[in-house]
């Protein structure tokens, strides 16, 4: 009997979640949209990035997949900006170790023409790529459009903007 009631409360909670044009858009208490992630189970740095985003207040749907390539194609992430995991939040695509601060800025500003943000490769010190005793890299968060347009959206050293 308890299982049936628990299931009913769970389903009732799901039914109460807000629905937007892009599907379910669950929001945390801070009003942040659902972050959907596609990552390989064997990549520890991806789990570190997910933890960083959760710590920043994002509700996360963490999808463990054999390959994030199909999600990347669906999201329109350019092949020359790849890293190790893909995500979607608030209608924007994300690739790699994009700091939560950059994602919050993207969601607040919603710049015209921007399809998403990427941190190509895996810079040392970026969220999820921290290595104790190692100095963090300086890296750019790249904004991309639906074509070949690219621009520097923010610059970071580790997880700190510069």
């Amino acid at each position: 009997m308890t299982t049936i009631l628990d299931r009913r409360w769970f389903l009732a909670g799901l039914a109460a979640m807000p629905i937007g044009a892009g599907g379910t858009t669950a929001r945390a208490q801070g009003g942040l949209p659902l972050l959907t992630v596609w990552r390989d189970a064997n990549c520890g740095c991806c789990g570190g990035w997910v933890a960083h985003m959760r710590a920043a207040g994002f509700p996360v749907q963490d999808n463990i997949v054999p390959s994030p390539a199909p999600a990347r194609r669906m999201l329109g992430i350019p092949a020359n900006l790849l890293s190790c995991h893909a995500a979607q939040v608030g209608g924007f695509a994300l690739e790699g170790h994009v700091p939560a601060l950059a994602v919050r800025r993207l969601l607040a500003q919603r710049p015209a023409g921007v399809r998403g943000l990427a941190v190509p490769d895996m810079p040392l010190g970026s969220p999820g790529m921290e290595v104790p005793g190692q100095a963090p890299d300086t890296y750019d968060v790249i904004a991309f459009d639906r074509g070949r347009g690219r621009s520097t959206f923010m610059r970071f050293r580790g997880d700190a903007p510069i």
Side-chain angles (χ1 to χ4, degrees), residues 3-74:
T3 304
I4 293 171
L5 288 176
D6 289 345
R7 190 176 307 146
R8 285 183 186 156
W9 280 108
F10 174 74
L11 292 172
L14 283 177
M17 294 176 81
I19 304 278
T24 302
T25 55
R27 292 188 178 269
Q29 285 190 318
L32 294 172
L34 177 68
L35 175 73
T36 304
V37 180
W38 293 270
R39 67 180 180 98
D40 182 294
N42 298 314
C43 187
C45 66
C46 296
W49 183 77
V50 167
H52 165 79
M53 297 306 284
R54 283 186 171 135
F58 285 90
V60 177
Q61 178 185 342
D62 189 7
N63 298 296
I64 308 298
V65 295
S67 170
R72 288 183 174 120
R73 284 191 296 275
M74 173 190 73

Side-chain angles (χ1 to χ4, degrees), residues 59-127:
V60 177
Q61 178 185 342
D62 189 7
N63 298 296
I64 308 298
V65 295
S67 170
R72 288 183 174 120
R73 284 191 296 275
M74 173 190 73
L75 296 170
I77 296 172
N80 64 343
L81 295 178
L82 298 184
S83 181
C84 58
H85 56 268
Q88 182 177 34
V89 63
F92 293 101
L94 302 174
E95 175 66 28
H97 296 267
V98 179
L101 182 62
V103 176
R104 284 178 174 265
R105 179 179 167 201
L106 175 70
L107 293 170
Q109 294 179 351
R110 298 192 140 328
V114 171
R115 174 72 192 110
L117 299 178
V119 173
D121 304 317
M122 298 164 65
L124 192 63
S126 61

